[in-house]
């Protein structure tokens, strides 16, 4: 079951979301995990840390999954 994260803006950048959702401890850690291909966006590997994540998108890191609403 994916955790739900509510944003109040049109989108949030992928690295910021990982930090915001407490999936990583820092922006640097988020950047490294994204570059290493460890993050899935809507089921596909994403290596762009500035990718715009919008409501309805699902982000997965390891066993942790969050859905933006």
């Amino acid at each position: 079951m994916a955790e739900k994260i509510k944003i109040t803006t049109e989108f949030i950048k992928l690295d910021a979301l990982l930090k915001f959702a407490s999936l990583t401890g820092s922006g640097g850690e988020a950047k490294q995990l994204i570059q290493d291909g460890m993050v899935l966006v809507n089921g596909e590997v994403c290596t762009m840390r500035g990718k715009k994540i919008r409501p309805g998108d699902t982000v997965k890191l390891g066993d942790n999954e969050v859905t933006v609403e």
Side-chain angles (χ1 to χ4, degrees):
M1 179 77 187
E3 180 184 349
K4 294 190 184 321
I5 298 288
K6 187 164 185 64
I7 61 171
T8 56
T9 52
E10 181 187 347
F11 64 85
I12 185 170
K13 290 186 177 175
L14 180 57
D15 58 348
L17 174 69
L18 292 177
K19 203 171 142 195
F20 181 67
S22 300
L23 296 181
T24 62
S26 69
E29 182 185 353
K31 176 181 169 186
Q32 192 61 54
L33 289 167
I34 294 165
Q35 284 179 338
D36 291 346
M38 304 295 289
V39 180
L40 300 179
V41 176
N42 298 326
E44 295 183 10
V45 172
C46 180
T47 56
M48 298 182 304
R49 71 174 202 236
K51 172 143 180 79
K52 294 176 181 175
I53 306 300
R54 300 177 190 278
D57 287 340
T58 300
V59 175
K60 186 168 182 173
L61 173 61
D63 292 334
N64 299 305
E65 188 173 33
V66 294
T67 300
V68 178
E69 48 180 44

